[in-house]
Amino acid sequence: MLHYRTQGYNGYAVKYSPFFDNRLAIASAANFGLVGNGRLYVLELTANGIVPVKWFTTQDSLYDLAWSEIHENQVLAASGDGSIKLYDTTADDFPIMNWKEHGREVFSVNWNLVAKDRFCSSSWDGTVRLWTPHRQQSILTLPTHSCTYSAAFCPHNPELISCVSSDSYIRVFDLRTPASASNHLVVQIPNHAAPVTPAIPGQPGMPPGAAQPAEILTHDWNKYRSTVLATAGVDRAIRTFDIRAPQQGPLAIMLGHDYAIKKMAWSPHLSDVLLTASYDMTCRVWSDRSNASGAGDVDLMRSGPAGPVAGSELGRMGRHTEFATGVDWCLFGSEGWCASVGWDESLYVWDVRGVISP
C-alpha cells in the first residue's frame, strides 16, 4: 500500500488518468473545505513511491475533478466559488480555461467518454450544465431544482446524463429528446421508494416498505450493463437501479456502512463489483451479486414482490483516520488496484484483492 500526504489540504476526490497507468490527480481543500484555498495535485507512481508532478493552488476549495478525454495533460477542477477550471500540467500555474456560470458550489464534473468534446457539471444551485472546452459559455442547462451532488454521462451512450440530488431523486436526461417542458428529462426515480429491504445476517435491517427520503451524494454507471446505475448517500445504503424499469425500485441493496457514503465507483474490470468511501473512515468493496446465478443483463429486471437482492460486502480498507471522501479504480494492469483520499490529508494506493476475504 502506497501513501502520499496532501499536507495542509483535505482530499475530496481522486481520479486516475485515462492515458497513463501511473498518473493520478487529487482535488483538495484547506480547512476541510469550509473556508480557504484549494489545491489540485497531479501525482505519479514511481519506483521511489508517489511523487508530485505539479500542483495548482486555487482561491477556493476544490470538490471534484475529471481528466480530459482528448488531451493527456489536461484536468478539470470543480470549485467552491461556482467556477470550473481547466489546467494543463505542462503550462504555468494558472488555468488555461475558466468557466463561471453556476451560482453556488460546483460539486461534480464528468467528462463524456464517448463524445469526448463535452463534459458536464452539477452544483448546489440546482442545475446540471453541459460544456465544451472550445467555448467560453455552457451549451445547455438542465434544471433539477435541488442541490445536485453528482452528475455523469452514461459511458455507453453520449446523449444520456444522470444526476442525483438532495431531494432523493435520480434523474436521467436524454439530449436526443425535444426540450419542451421536461427539459430532456426522461427518467425520474425516487431513490427512497424501495420495496421490502432484504435482511442481511449480522447487519441491522432497514424497516420494510419505502425508506425515508435522504440526500443522494454519489452515483455511478455500470461499465458493462448499459442501463444499470448505483446510488448511495446519507442513509448509508447502496442501491442499484435499471433505468428501463424505474417503477420496480432497486435491483440490489447493500448495507453495512456506519455513516453516509460520500463516493462510489463501479469496477472497470468486473460487472458486479463496486467501491465506496464513507464518513465512517472506511473504503469498502461490494458485490451486487448480479453474477451469482449467471444472470444476464435482461435478467436484472427481477426486483418484484420478493424485493431486491441483498448484495454483499467483500472487504474493507480502514487506514484512513478521518472521513474517506474519494475513490477511483485504475484502468490499467491487474483488476484490483485503486486509490482513495480522505480528510486525513492522505492518499492511499492499494490492491482491493488484499482486503477481500477468501
Side-chain angles (χ1 to χ4, degrees), residues 15 90-91 135 162 189 198 275 313 315 318 328 346:
K15 294 287 175 62
T90 63
R135 282 182 48 175
S162 59
I189 305 173
L275 184 61
E313 180 183 327
D328 194 34
S346 289

Side-chain angles (χ1 to χ4, degrees), residues 6 18 43 56 77 97 118 211 221 244 253 269 274 276-277 321 340:
T6 56
L43 308 171
F56 303 93
M97 288 286 285
R118 289 186 282 172
W221 288 89
R244 296 171 298 181
I253 297 181
H269 305 286
L274 52 82
T276 55
T321 56
S340 61

Side-chain angles (χ1 to χ4, degrees), residues 254-313:
M254 288 150 273
L255 300 173
H257 274 298
D258 299 318
Y259 293 104
I261 299 166
K262 183 65 173 65
K263 192 75 75 173
M264 67 163 30
W266 281 102
S267 168
H269 305 286
L270 301 169
S271 65
D272 64 322
V273 173
L274 52 82
L275 184 61
T276 55
S278 168
Y279 291 150
D280 65 11
M281 298 183 283
T282 67
C283 298
R284 306 195 190 196
V285 193
W286 307 84
S287 170
D288 70 351
R289 297 184 61 202
S290 57
N291 292 338
S293 58
D297 186 52
V298 174
D299 295 328
L300 279 172
M301 298 173 63
R302 62 187 184 277
S303 177
V309 170
S312 57
E313 180 183 327

Side-chain angles (χ1 to χ4, degrees), residues 40-277:
L40 176 68
Y41 290 87
V42 179
L43 308 171
E44 280 192 357
L45 310 179
T46 72
N48 297 319
I50 302 173
V51 298
V53 175
K54 188 113 178 173
W55 64 56
F56 303 93
T57 302
T58 59
Q59 291 186 338
D60 212 313
S61 304
L62 298 182
Y63 296 127
D64 197 21
L65 66 120
W67 285 95
S68 167
E69 290 289 331
I70 55 177
H71 197 297
E72 62 192 18
N73 294 316
Q74 294 181 0
V75 59
L76 286 169
S79 178
D81 64 3
S83 69
I84 304 163
K85 304 177 191 300
L86 181 65
Y87 290 96
D88 191 308
T89 59
T90 63
D92 292 331
D93 296 337
F94 301 98
I96 59 173
M97 288 286 285
N98 186 52
W99 298 271
K100 194 176 188 307
E101 292 183 20
H102 284 295
R104 294 285 306 278
E105 293 90 335
V106 181
F107 245 74
S108 78
V109 283
N110 181 261
W111 209 287
N112 196 316
L113 300 180
V114 184
K116 298 186 177 185
D117 61 341
R118 289 186 282 172
F119 63 91
C120 66
S121 62
S122 70
S123 168
W124 281 16
D125 67 5
T127 66
V128 173
R129 293 179 187 261
L130 181 66
W131 312 81
T132 175
H134 310 302
R135 282 182 48 175
Q136 192 61 56
Q137 295 80 31
S138 62
I139 300 171
L140 183 66
T141 299
L142 303 169
T144 65
H145 309 293
S146 185
C147 174
T148 307
Y149 290 106
S150 174
F153 283 100
C154 174
H156 310 274
N157 188 327
E159 305 300 328
L160 293 182
I161 300 177
S162 59
C163 67
V164 293
S165 50
S166 59
D167 63 0
S168 192
Y169 277 89
I170 308 152
R171 293 176 174 86
V172 179
F173 301 90
D174 189 338
L175 304 183
R176 298 167 297 186
T177 62
S180 65
S182 64
N183 293 294
H184 303 287
L185 182 66
V186 292
V187 176
Q188 185 165 283
I189 305 173
N191 189 67
H192 50 280
V196 176
T197 303
I200 299 179
Q203 298 291 347
M206 295 176 65
Q212 292 297 314
E215 293 186 319
I216 315 173
L217 303 179
T218 180
H219 82 301
D220 194 25
W221 288 89
N222 190 285
K223 307 306 184 292
Y224 294 90
R225 292 174 274 153
S226 61
T227 60
V228 174
L229 51 77
T231 67
V234 171
D235 68 359
R236 302 166 292 154
I238 305 157
R239 297 175 176 88
T240 65
F241 294 88
D242 193 316
I243 63 171
R244 296 171 298 181
Q247 73 284 354
Q248 289 187 184
L251 303 171
I253 297 181
M254 288 150 273
L255 300 173
H257 274 298
D258 299 318
Y259 293 104
I261 299 166
K262 183 65 173 65
K263 192 75 75 173
M264 67 163 30
W266 281 102
S267 168
H269 305 286
L270 301 169
S271 65
D272 64 322
V273 173
L274 52 82
L275 184 61
T276 55

